[in-house]
Amino acid sequence: MKSEEIRQYFLEFFEKRGHKIIPSSSLIPEDDPSVLLTTAGMQQFKKYFTREKDPIKDFGTQRVASIQKCFRTTDIEEIGDERHLSFFEMLGNFSFGPIVNDDPNDYGIGGYFKKASINWAYEFLKSLGLKIDYVSVFKGENNIPFDEESYNVWISLGFKKEDIKKFGKEDNFWGPTGEEGPCGPTTEIYIDNIEVWNLVFNEYYQTADKKLEKLKYPGVDTGMGFERLMKVLQKTPTIFETDLFEPLRTYVLNEKPDIAERDLRIILDHTRGAVFLIADGVRPSNLERGYILRRILRRLMLKLKIWDILSKKDVFIKAVIDKFKNIYKEIDNYDKIKEVIDKEFRGFEKTLERGLREFNKRINGNEKEEELGEKLFVLYTSFGLPLEISKELLKNMNIEITENSINIFNKLFKEHQKISKNI
Ligand code: SER
């Protein structure tokens, strides 16, 4: 099944069960200064969990479902391995309290909780022919009790004790996003050893001073990574071979059949990420969201340049737009997106060319830690080559930069700043 069909199928599955389908919110959170970007499906619903807003009034039901655009920056350094992404989509169903009926056979509009949500997740995956390997539940920790209810629901579905793992707060407690917000114990579903679906039972509110208070009404917030779901459905080696990265992947491979896998993944991820950020109004800068976009654009440019496919950039942008424009109307804006990327690339081109030349001239890969830190400092201050780009180039030489080298770089940089200020 293609991703387009699964999108439809997911939304219909929950619509049939009383959920109102809500469009994805922007990657720039509307009403939440505590986070730079939207990282989870529940973010646009925070005020329904706290009951500052009334779901019945706004949606006519206590149940909603969505496919949310998300962007996580914690993982940017890891991108290039088999599973990390900056931009991704999350399929989710949500219930806002009070609990009216937790019976999975109830297709009404009232709030539900653990029994209905676990049953539906199970039913949904089963209907796709997927077999759950195992699940996890919250074992109880820090005065928050063991989630016996979820455990018992899984038992009632025929799961054996050994297939219901019990983990602590680190693994099976989610949230909040940003400084404060709804959070709670989770039950997580694993297929082919991948965590595919996270069911969060928002029973608490974490305050800005990190205290947990009971929410007036408990709610449900589930999130299923779309790329992961497609990987297990399409049985691809990694998420990057799923149709969510087509036709871009094919286009890049047609140009460069021998491209390093890691660089290919970075191109796939960063092209999508940049297109979606720009479409939602982010512009490259040295601050906050703008800096995130700048970083991924510059790394993207580096990869395209190294592989000599910079001239194909527009085709690659278009491939992403064509793939998603029927689902997210805002990205159907090729001229603007291209203009922003062109401007950033133009501004960085000279620095990158000179930086690459100097890097190749100065770095041989045999440097001691201290010497490497010094050289990277010179590359940055005299030639403008950002440290992240140097790190990328070192990675291509199979060199992981050490903590010591970074410390030297930072020390020299601080001294340099002091001197510059005094001048
Ligand atoms: N909020 C949870 C997550 O992001 C589940 O949707 O994983």
Side-chain angles (χ1 to χ4, degrees), residues 176-393:
T177 54
E179 292 303 305
E180 58 181 309
C183 55
T186 68
T187 184
E188 300 178 12
I189 299 174
Y190 288 79
I191 300 175
D192 296 342
N193 273 323
I194 299 170
E195 182 211 321
V196 172
W197 206 338
N198 183 17
L199 281 56
V200 185
F201 302 116
N202 279 329
E203 296 173 66
Y204 300 93
Y205 188 92
Q206 184 176 299
T207 60
D209 55 356
K210 306 253 175 287
K211 283 206 190 79
L212 278 189
E213 289 168 356
K214 273 259 178 195
L215 275 174
K216 184 164 179 211
Y217 301 120
V220 175
D221 150 26
T222 88
M224 174 156 53
F226 198 15
E227 293 75 9
R228 293 179 182 187
L229 175 66
M230 291 316 299
K231 180 204 173 301
V232 296
L233 268 176
Q234 294 179 337
K235 301 198 188 315
T236 53
T238 75
I239 49 179
F240 295 98
E241 292 84 11
T242 65
D243 78 324
L244 288 166
F245 292 91
E246 289 298 341
L248 179 57
R249 187 169 187 277
T250 304
Y251 289 178
V252 179
L253 283 173
N254 280 345
E255 293 298 324
K256 290 286 150 187
D258 299 330
I259 190 168
E261 195 60 42
R262 181 169 178 277
D263 287 351
L264 171 62
R265 291 172 187 158
I266 291 175
I267 292 172
L268 297 180
D269 175 86
H270 286 17
T271 311
R272 285 198 335 162
V275 165
F276 276 94
L277 283 178
I278 295 167
D280 275 347
V282 182
R283 295 291 173 268
S285 78
N286 287 334
L287 273 182
E288 304 186 329
R289 296 187 261 273
Y291 184 59
I292 294 163
L293 175 59
R294 171 156 283 168
R295 270 182 68 185
I296 64 166
L297 277 177
R298 289 182 168 186
R299 199 200 267 150
L300 174 63
M301 185 178 182
L302 170 74
K303 297 300 177 192
L304 298 178
K305 194 161 178 66
I306 288 179
W307 291 97
D308 198 20
I309 44 178
L310 200 50
S311 61
K312 298 287 167 215
K313 171 194 66 80
D314 295 347
V315 181
F316 296 167
I317 299 172
K318 220 163 186 313
V320 173
I321 293 180
D322 288 344
K323 174 76 183 176
F324 292 99
K325 69 181 180 197
N326 293 332
I327 302 148
Y328 302 105
K329 300 270 173 290
E330 62 280 13
I331 75 161
D332 193 4
N333 196 357
Y334 172 72
D335 291 341
K336 186 78 215 165
I337 293 169
K338 175 177 151 48
E339 183 192 314
V340 174
I341 296 179
D342 279 346
K343 189 167 169 227
E344 182 66 13
F345 276 19
R346 260 198 317 273
F348 189 52
E349 197 170 1
K350 288 236 154 50
T351 308
L352 184 60
E353 270 169 15
R354 198 171 53 164
L356 279 176
R357 235 184 1 253
E358 291 298 327
F359 184 96
N360 292 333
K361 210 155 78 189
R362 289 160 192 262
I363 307 277
N364 54 41
N366 297 321
E367 287 84 1
K368 301 235 157 54
E369 288 173 315
E370 186 161 331
E371 190 189 357
L372 185 62
E374 285 167 11
K375 285 191 176 181
L376 298 186
F377 167 75
V378 172
L379 283 169
Y380 179 54
T381 45
S382 305
F383 303 100
L385 192 69
L387 183 61
E388 301 104 62
I389 299 283
S390 292
K391 277 192 201 166
E392 259 323 303
L393 294 169

Side-chain angles (χ1 to χ4, degrees), residues 39-42 72 90 94 174 198 200 221-223:
T39 56
M42 63 80 73
R72 291 194 182 167
M90 195 137 79
F94 306 85
W174 191 88
N198 183 17
V200 185
D221 150 26
T222 88

Side-chain angles (χ1 to χ4, degrees), residues 20-128:
K20 174 148 195 212
I21 307 308
I22 308 293
S24 170
S25 62
S26 165
L27 284 171
I28 304 182
E30 224 172 70
D31 198 13
D32 191 350
S34 69
V35 274
L36 283 184
L37 293 166
T38 299
T39 56
M42 63 80 73
Q43 238 161 300
Q44 66 164 323
F45 303 121
K46 266 183 166 178
K47 290 201 169 140
Y48 295 99
F49 285 113
T50 56
R51 275 288 170 164
E52 288 159 83
K53 285 185 173 175
D54 180 356
I56 295 285
K57 208 170 124 216
D58 293 351
F59 308 130
T61 165
Q62 286 172 249
R63 307 173 174 190
V64 298
S66 69
I67 301 181
Q68 175 67 47
K69 300 179 284 185
C70 299
F71 198 104
R72 291 194 182 167
T73 52
T74 38
D75 296 340
I76 278 188
E77 293 275 329
E78 314 284 340
I79 293 163
D81 68 4
E82 286 191 359
R83 57 190 197 92
H84 283 97
L85 290 171
S86 61
F87 172 84
F88 63 98
E89 294 174 273
M90 195 137 79
L91 316 180
N93 58 294
F94 306 85
S95 166
F96 312 117
I99 301 165
V100 175
N101 195 339
D102 198 18
D103 176 359
N105 297 315
D106 170 68
Y107 284 17
I109 58 164
Y112 57 86
F113 204 40
K114 298 179 181 177
K115 189 173 170 197
S117 42
I118 294 174
N119 270 272
W120 288 335
Y122 175 78
E123 198 184 325
F124 178 81
L125 296 170
K126 198 171 157 200
S127 72
L128 289 174

